[in-house]
Amino acid sequence: MSRRRAARRGSAALALAAALAAAPRPSRAQAGGDAAAAEVLFEQAIALMRQGDYEQACPRLAESQRLDAGVGTLLYLAACYERLGKTASAWATYREAADAARRQGQADREQQAREGAAALEARLARLLVEVPAGSAAPGLSVRRDGQELAPVLWGTAMPVDPGAYTVEASAPGRLPWSTTAAVDPAGGTATVTVPPLAAAPPPPGARPAAPAGASAAQPAAPPARPAPREAAGMPAQRLAAVIAAGAGVVGIGASVGLGFAARARFEEAAPYCDGDTCDDEGVEIRGDAIDLARAGTVVFLVGAAAVAAGGVLWLTTPSPAASAAGRPAVHVGLGPTGLSLGGRF
């Protein structure tokens, strides 16, 4: 992009914000109490924007839009977010306004919204949360400011408003971890890497593990008492089965959500396509849909494999009654070095 074109886009964004502050309110089609409340909030917000109080104006515009949606309100809200320094919120709201204006045939407003979004594109700040393979414990949950981050978003630099963000991670049987990341208003990408979570200490009253070599000095256990390895191995294997199956179910659910998102994105390309022939906008939208569909397929396959592994672990857990009777049994256990396989025949 040439400097002249970039300057023209920046000037267009400033002109849009100035025009919004002076323009008349957008018309509202909905009737009833919600429309009346939306109108009052809208008038208050415009007055606050003219006074430069964007901190108070933006929430009123957002609530007005929720009560009675309109393209004009979205444009005001995007300009308010931009003046407040919330670049990611402004960028997303401009894009939402452009889509709404396109659906309603409002070409002028669509162009205004797209110019506003384009002017913010280069200034967007992003937050990248990385989860290396060594940190991906079973049942791992990663949250940003308390909101769950789906595994498909791990490793993706997401646009965010400048500020401080708390990133947390937790998993069954592991100590929780958290850190704070500062996102620079000047743009760029802040990266947070989730480390391997430490194992949680045993609960109070749990029997400590015997030191190495101590078993030789201990008297032999009575024959009628079950072996400690069998008593401890069975619940550990069942727990591993539940964790693996649970993680698989979560993955399958996430793949279904990605499938619906891909279908919705594909349908958005209809206005730009004639059969299999699409313009540049349609090609980009369909490309997004294909990427979402591929991600959903990969997540589904991983989830299905995890559910299958959980089923194998559950079904191969030896029965205490079979062990006592001396019948053949297969034992699969989890230890510090990985998966172990044993049995009695």
Side-chain angles (χ1 to χ4, degrees):
M1 180 187 299
S2 66
R3 292 183 178 179
R4 181 178 301 175
R5 186 177 179 185
R8 186 166 60 250
R9 285 190 172 182
S11 300
L14 295 175
L16 172 61
L20 288 175
R25 64 181 182 271
S27 60
R28 299 182 179 274
Q30 182 176 333
D34 284 353
E39 187 72 13
V40 172
L41 289 170
F42 181 85
E43 295 290 350
Q44 292 176 353
I46 297 307
L48 290 166
M49 288 181 69
R50 289 170 177 165
Q51 298 169 12
D53 191 353
Y54 302 102
E55 190 76 39
Q56 297 294 326
C58 294
R60 286 170 168 78
L61 285 171
E63 181 63 13
S64 177
Q65 174 67 14
R66 188 188 70 82
L67 293 173
D68 189 7
V71 177
T73 306
L74 280 174
L75 286 171
Y76 277 94
L77 180 59
C80 187
Y81 281 147
E82 185 175 359
R83 291 300 184 89
L84 200 56
K86 295 185 174 183
T87 50
S89 295
W91 175 75
T93 307
Y94 275 130
R95 288 172 61 92
E96 182 182 355
D99 289 341
R102 176 183 55 79
R103 290 193 299 268
Q104 298 178 23
Q106 301 179 17
D108 290 344
R109 283 181 168 178
E110 179 184 359
Q111 183 174 354
Q112 287 179 341
R114 294 196 184 281
E115 289 177 352
L120 289 172
E121 189 86 32
R123 295 195 287 126
L124 285 178
R126 290 175 168 83
L127 178 61
L128 171 63
V129 178
E130 292 184 332
V131 182
S135 304
L140 179 67
S141 172
V142 180
R143 297 171 299 280
R144 185 185 71 197
D145 279 0
Q147 294 186 347
E148 188 78 17
L149 279 180
V152 293
L153 297 179
W154 300 349
T156 300
M158 301 298 295
V160 293
D161 293 327
Y165 292 86
T166 299
V167 178
E168 304 169 280
S170 60
R174 305 296 180 96
L175 293 175
W177 170 89
S178 67
T179 189
T180 300
V183 179
D184 195 337
T189 300
T191 302
V192 173
T193 302
V194 177
L197 302 184
R207 184 176 180 179
S215 58
Q218 298 289 338
R225 186 175 300 173
R229 180 174 295 180
E230 291 181 358
M234 182 178 66
Q237 185 171 333
R238 289 280 172 94
L239 177 61
V242 171
I243 291 174
V249 170
V250 171
I252 292 173
S255 73
V256 173
L258 286 169
F260 283 115
R263 181 179 181 84
R265 189 62 175 160
F266 189 87
E267 291 176 350
E268 288 181 11
Y272 304 98
C273 299
D274 184 9
D276 292 333
T277 303
C278 302
D279 59 16
D280 292 344
E281 184 75 8
V283 169
E284 180 181 354
I285 294 175
R286 284 194 172 181
D288 291 344
I290 291 173
D291 290 342
L292 287 170
R294 288 175 177 168
T297 300
V298 172
V299 173
F300 177 85
L301 292 176
V302 174
V307 171
V312 171
L313 286 173
W314 184 274
L315 293 176
T316 56
T317 302
S319 169
S323 300
R327 291 196 295 269
V330 176
H331 177 78
V332 180
L334 294 174
T337 60
L339 193 66
S340 62
L341 176 64
R344 181 176 58 255
F345 303 93

